Amino acid sequence: MILETFNKKKRNNKTVVLNCDLSITGGGTAGVCAAITAARKGIKVVLIQDRPVLGGNASSEVRLWILGATSHMGNNNRWSREGGVMNEILVENLYRNPEGNAVIFDTILLEKVLNEKNITLLLNTCVYDVNKSSDTEIESIKAFNPQNATEYITKAPLFCDASGDGIVAFKAGASFRMGAEPKEEFGELFAPDKSYGELLGHSMYFYSKNTDKPVKFKAPDFALKDIKQIPRYKAIGKDDKGCRFWWFEYGGRHDTIHDTEHIKYELWKVIYGVWDYIKNSGKFEDVENMTLEWVGTIPGKRESRRFEGLYMMKQQDVIEQQEFDDAIAHGGWAIDLHPADGVYSDLSACTQWHSKGVYHIPYRSFVSKDIDNLFLAGRIISATHVAFGSTRVMATTGLCAQAVGMAAALCTQKNLKPADILNNGEIKNLQNELNIVGQSIPNIPIKSDSNLIREAKVETSSTLQISEIPFDGDWFKLNISAAQLLPFEANRSYQFKVLINTDEATTIDIQLRTSKKPKNYTPEAILETQSFNLVKGEQTITINFSIGVPTNQYGFVTFLTNNKVSIKTSNNRYTGVLSVFNGINKAVSNNGKQVPPPNIGVDEFEFWTPHRRPEGKNIAMEISPPIRSFQNNNIGNGYVRPWRTVNAWVADLNDDNPTLKVEWDEAKTISEIKLFLDSDYDHPMESTLMGHPEEVVPFCVRNYVIKDLEGNVLHKVEDNYQTINVFKPMKTLNIKGFTVEVEHPSNNVPASIFEILCQ
């Protein structure tokens, strides 16, 4: 029994002091990815999250899907899904949670964090103050957990604010902005005026379900009474739920920090008014047995403070695909701004303008210009309101925060401040350390001196050459234009034979297209057009393009729309090869072609995007000369995904025992062998609500064996599904070489390896 008598003095809560190398505030995707990355590099991390679960807007409390550069496969950013820990989490979720259950996703994030012995996790713990050792340096932060009535003081040489509203940066006195910059400040032609609004609002969602008996609903008094107050009310569907109602948004005219509770009540008013409309208006059929399953209790925040770093990203950096010497990540989501009146606006619920490809994000935008030991992460990084419209999404923030975690590790190891990374070549070290763990910074490969395989001779039992994409698939009707995306050799003329079926005599136009920038996938350059007269029925046509692509890059064999024509497809799929379509994806403002208003600084171009599996089969064709981009010299080139070309060794499907052999002139000391496999970086892998048809992507090598040159098994893996596989022997190996024996993932998909890293 505890008995404590009256005390005239104020009692103090239990206080725990934690010392670490890096203190991270905020457990959304950004904070989680930063913490895991830093912890795996051996530094001590305290991760503080004010909610009972991790994930922020991706958690079961909010239930927004994670998206980034892939943009629901609705843009021209091929193979652009975010790498590293962010990719690892999404691939794990696909394997264990393909139906997109947000509660299961909570457990995946929690498991990932708890498995790292260098992370101390504080859930339900709210940071409320900072102590500074000088005007420009944080000494410690203070937090309180009401669940265990404990105060925490976290002391560290380095701090990261990934809290969303920027509580640490704010309390530390760092410069920040709220609202939109005027056009004149950065020359941003898309900067909104006050009538559109300067802030994005909050959103809340609901889930509904069918039961086996009638369920009545009596709306609470606070529910919205007049559904016509929502101009888009006719877009409400009875079966829609969760983040498909992302446009249930409010608060852009308010202080999106201090008015959050008011905003929440208004969103509850909307949700219960919408459900009353669905259940009781008589406008919907078969709703008698439907009931509410879940309603959000905290709003998902989009925008509040943005803090000033050593560089502020702007619209032109996104649209013009600016490259930076200190790039540490890529973005690719559209510049996605919303009217401040949200659900009550009669304007489009969002205005998304895409770039023609991915763009660099510089390290300087994550370093506070005022506080010497503070990193910025998540949606508060140094970007204008317009650029923020692209950088704010969760897969992008997770990818970027990995750079913060890695930078913190380098700072700890070398006794540096965050800004010091920009000096003495340290940014190159940071970029390389990130790429080694799968960051895939565009146009920056893993350094050759980081990989012993660059000194080795690499031989393979076979190499894929595509002379035929087999004619064993379904017919695809050209109701929309379709194209086969292939990695071509420069200035080479190709011949293609395809199988066509027509309903009646007609003509078809076939084009060879490519991108003006060789590392983009926007086919705006039409190199050649040929027209063919077709008779009714099946027929083979031969296409001879006399003009080749100007450099080694992807090209599009393009079949323009004709609804009288069907084209034969194939069941075979290959790493770095896919079909794309000039279709529509309204979820990301893709109507087949982006046609912006004049003078907003945005490009006009067509969208050519894949279809989701099991659709989106390759177009069957004979190809002469064969596509030969799958050679073993891709191993060791430093790229771990398609980028301008395939960058993978791919075995021939007829090879029953595909084997890759690595051999040095003399024995090497090896502490780690890392395989980079194909988990289909083109698939967005939305984390919640949106289910997926597969648990493992069809290109991923499931089974392989690593042997020494004498045939002794060093490492064996079965049923793999992850992208990066690491073999760390108990004792370092002293070997002259090794072999990797792989199995084809299926009869229709050959085995592939992007990279092997030996250290």
Side-chain angles (χ1 to χ4, degrees):
M1 186 182 99
I2 298 175
L3 176 63
E4 187 169 336
T5 59
F6 173 66
N7 191 330
K8 293 181 180 180
K9 296 181 179 180
K10 177 179 75 75
R11 289 191 177 100
N12 292 319
N13 286 312
K14 177 182 177 180
T15 300
V16 174
V17 178
L18 298 171
N19 291 284
C20 61
D21 299 308
L22 173 65
S23 175
I24 301 174
T25 299
T29 55
V32 166
C33 289
I36 293 172
T37 302
R40 289 179 178 176
K41 292 300 290 184
I43 71 172
K44 299 295 183 182
V45 179
V46 173
L47 177 60
I48 307 173
Q49 165 72 330
D50 62 356
R51 306 301 307 167
V53 291
L54 296 166
N57 284 347
S59 74
S60 62
E61 290 190 312
V62 180
R63 306 193 182 192
L64 178 63
W65 43 43
I66 292 176
L67 279 173
T70 51
S71 186
H72 279 309
M73 291 167 67
N75 60 17
N76 292 343
N77 300 342
R78 301 282 62 79
W79 297 292
S80 64
R81 191 180 69 247
E82 292 69 18
V85 175
M86 189 72 262
N87 176 69
E88 177 185 326
I89 289 168
L90 293 175
V91 172
E92 189 71 34
N93 187 59
L94 179 72
Y95 183 69
R96 291 159 60 171
N97 183 30
E99 62 277 5
N101 185 325
V103 176
I104 301 301
F105 186 67
D106 285 349
T107 69
I108 290 169
L109 290 181
L110 183 61
E111 178 185 87
K112 288 288 182 186
V113 170
L114 293 180
N115 282 347
E116 298 299 329
K117 59 180 175 44
N118 286 325
I119 298 177
T120 298
L121 175 63
L122 303 178
L123 294 175
N124 291 308
T125 304
C126 184
V127 172
Y128 65 90
D129 207 356
V130 305
N131 289 318
K132 296 171 72 174
S133 57
S134 69
D135 290 346
T136 61
E137 190 154 324
I138 301 170
E139 179 183 60
S140 63
I141 59 176
K142 296 180 179 180
F144 178 67
N145 184 332
Q147 298 296 308
N148 62 10
T150 300
E151 293 187 19
Y152 294 92
I153 298 174
T154 302
K155 297 181 178 181
L158 297 168
F159 294 84
C160 171
D161 192 335
S163 64
D165 286 339
I167 182 62
V168 174
F170 175 77
K171 294 290 287 188
S175 303
F176 72 92
R177 298 173 177 222
M178 286 185 72
E181 289 78 10
K183 287 180 171 64
E184 295 75 22
E185 183 172 5
F186 293 97
E188 296 178 306
L189 300 179
F190 188 46
D193 57 27
K194 292 184 182 297
S195 65
Y196 187 83
E198 297 186 4
L199 285 168
L200 281 69
H202 304 349
S203 283
M204 293 176 72
Y205 314 130
F206 69 86
Y207 274 54
S208 59
K209 67 177 182 180
N210 272 302
T211 68
D212 58 0
K213 60 182 179 181
V215 178
K216 70 177 182 179
F217 176 71
K218 174 67 169 67
D221 289 343
F222 60 78
L224 182 69
K225 301 298 188 294
D226 180 9
I227 197 66
K228 292 184 180 179
Q229 286 185 251
I230 301 175
R232 293 186 67 208
Y233 75 94
K234 291 183 179 179
I236 295 169
K238 70 180 181 68
D239 296 317
D240 284 341
K241 59 185 178 182
C243 47
R244 296 192 188 281
F245 282 126
W246 59 267
W247 53 278
F248 285 5
E249 180 178 357
Y250 182 73
R253 300 284 183 194
H254 293 269
D255 181 332
T256 52
I257 297 175
H258 301 105
D259 291 343
T260 289
E261 285 295 287
H262 164 73
I263 295 168
K264 175 187 72 177
Y265 281 111
E266 190 66 27
L267 288 168
W268 272 341
K269 172 182 172 181
V270 168
I271 286 173
Y272 287 104
V274 166
W275 188 246
D276 186 35
Y277 170 63
I278 290 173
K279 284 287 289 185
N280 300 321
S281 68
K283 302 289 186 181
F284 299 90
E285 297 180 354
D286 302 321
V287 297
E288 292 81 5
N289 291 7
M290 292 184 71
T291 188
L292 277 178
E293 180 181 20
W294 169 86
V295 174
T297 55
I298 63 168
K301 291 188 177 184
R302 286 186 177 85
E303 182 178 14
S304 52
R305 302 182 183 112
R306 292 169 287 109
F307 287 82
E308 295 185 9
L310 299 178
Y311 180 82
M312 185 168 289
M313 289 197 69
K314 57 186 182 298
Q315 173 184 339
Q316 298 92 315
D317 297 331
V318 175
I319 297 300
E320 298 171 11
Q321 299 175 263
Q322 178 65 48
E323 294 190 3
F324 294 96
D325 291 340
D326 63 330
I328 47 76
H330 70 271
W333 187 257
I335 292 180
D336 182 3
L337 301 183
H338 301 189
D341 296 313
V343 71
Y344 295 126
S345 176
D346 57 6
L347 300 172
S348 174
C350 72
T351 304
Q352 295 187 338
W353 298 114
H354 300 258
S355 60
K356 290 183 178 180
V358 298
Y359 58 88
H360 273 170
I361 301 178
Y363 173 74
R364 286 167 292 162
S365 289
F366 301 85
V367 179
S368 169
K369 74 180 184 66
D370 302 310
I371 307 299
D372 295 339
N373 61 340
L374 177 64
F375 291 102
L376 310 170
R379 59 182 171 85
I380 70 169
I381 69 166
S382 185
T384 67
H385 171 76
V386 176
F388 157 89
S390 177
T391 63
R392 65 185 173 84
V393 293
M394 286 186 285
T396 302
T397 63
L399 180 73
C400 292
Q402 292 166 187
V404 168
M406 188 67 75
L410 291 178
C411 287
T412 301
Q413 294 159 7
K414 300 183 179 184
N415 193 28
L416 303 174
K417 291 290 193 293
D420 295 337
I421 293 287
L422 295 164
N423 303 321
N424 302 318
E426 290 298 340
I427 190 65
K428 301 297 183 185
N429 293 331
L430 172 61
Q431 290 168 333
N432 198 53
E433 288 296 316
L434 285 167
N435 280 337
I436 284 172
V437 296
Q439 189 84 350
S440 296
I441 305 169
N443 221 34
I444 301 176
I446 296 170
K447 291 166 62 176
S448 59
D449 60 4
S450 300
N451 192 355
L452 287 172
I453 208 167
R454 292 295 293 269
E455 303 173 17
K457 180 181 180 182
V458 178
E459 297 178 338
T460 55
S461 58
S462 67
T463 298
L464 174 68
Q465 293 191 32
I466 303 180
S467 58
E468 180 185 68
I469 302 177
F471 294 80
D472 60 353
D474 305 320
W475 291 100
F476 177 80
K477 186 172 283 292
L478 290 173
N479 292 322
I480 56 174
S481 297
Q484 186 62 45
L485 182 58
L486 294 166
F488 289 139
E489 297 174 58
N491 301 312
R492 182 178 288 272
S493 300
Y494 287 90
Q495 180 187 89
F496 304 91
K497 292 183 179 180
V498 297
L499 187 59
I500 297 287
N501 193 12
T502 62
D503 299 332
E504 60 183 72
T506 186
T507 60
I508 187 171
D509 289 336
I510 303 174
Q511 297 176 333
L512 177 63
R513 296 187 176 197
T514 193
S515 297
K516 292 180 180 178
K517 290 185 177 180
K519 294 166 185 173
N520 276 359
Y521 304 94
T522 294
E524 74 258 68
I526 301 173
L527 303 180
E528 191 170 347
T529 301
Q530 295 186 17
S531 295
F532 293 84
N533 295 318
L534 305 175
V535 299
K536 181 179 180 181
E538 289 189 23
Q539 58 217 279
T540 297
I541 60 173
T542 301
I543 311 132
N544 288 291
F545 287 125
S546 60
I547 299 175
V549 298
T551 182
N552 290 348
Q553 67 182 105
Y554 277 91
F556 298 72
V557 183
T558 307
F559 302 84
L560 298 188
T561 181
N562 184 334
N563 60 14
K564 300 172 185 176
V565 177
S566 297
I567 191 165
K568 193 68 169 176
T569 67
S570 177
N571 291 321
N572 278 23
R573 298 184 187 270
Y574 311 93
T575 287
V577 171
L578 49 72
S579 57
V580 292
F581 306 86
N582 183 220
I584 292 172
N585 188 333
K586 291 186 177 180
V588 291
S589 299
N590 172 352
N591 292 307
K593 185 176 183 179
Q594 177 166 284
V595 184
N599 302 317
I600 67 166
V602 174
D603 296 318
E604 179 177 316
F605 60 91
E606 292 178 345
F607 292 105
W608 289 78
T609 61
H611 290 168
R612 289 176 184 261
R613 288 187 295 273
E615 306 303 323
K617 294 182 177 181
N618 288 314
I619 297 172
M621 55 178 60
E622 293 180 13
I623 308 171
S624 179
I627 302 297
R628 304 180 298 187
S629 299
F630 310 96
Q631 307 97 323
N632 56 19
N633 61 10
N634 288 324
I635 301 296
N637 75 0
Y639 289 102
V640 299
R641 65 173 69 199
W643 178 250
R644 188 173 186 166
T645 187
V646 174
N647 294 317
W649 165 64
V650 184
D652 192 296
L653 260 177
N654 294 317
D655 184 351
D656 293 332
N657 186 29
T659 303
L660 184 147
K661 179 182 177 182
V662 176
E663 187 171 9
W664 291 277
D665 291 337
E666 56 187 27
K668 300 291 182 181
T669 300
I670 304 294
S671 60
E672 178 179 287
I673 298 174
K674 183 181 292 187
L675 305 185
F676 293 81
L677 305 175
D678 187 359
S679 59
D680 186 13
Y681 283 108
D682 212 67
H683 186 348
M685 291 189 184
E686 293 91 343
S687 56
T688 193
L689 182 67
M690 192 167 180
H692 305 292
E694 57 204 13
E695 296 177 357
V696 181
V697 298
F699 310 102
C700 188
V701 168
R702 306 297 309 279
N703 305 315
Y704 65 89
V705 180
I706 301 176
K707 298 179 180 178
D708 64 22
L709 295 183
E710 286 71 46
N712 300 305
V713 174
L714 302 175
H715 186 57
K716 184 176 182 178
V717 172
E718 295 180 343
D719 296 328
N720 168 63
Y721 55 88
Q722 269 291 352
T723 311
I724 299 177
N725 281 222
V726 180
F727 166 46
K728 285 191 174 183
M730 298 290 290
K731 296 181 180 179
T732 56
L733 302 173
N734 189 259
I735 54 176
K736 197 175 178 182
F738 60 90
T739 62
V740 184
E741 298 177 2
V742 295
E743 292 183 15
H744 296 300
S746 71
N747 293 332
N748 297 318
V749 180
S752 64
I753 299 175
F754 280 117
E755 185 66 286
I756 299 177
L757 181 67
C758 298
Q759 293 181 309

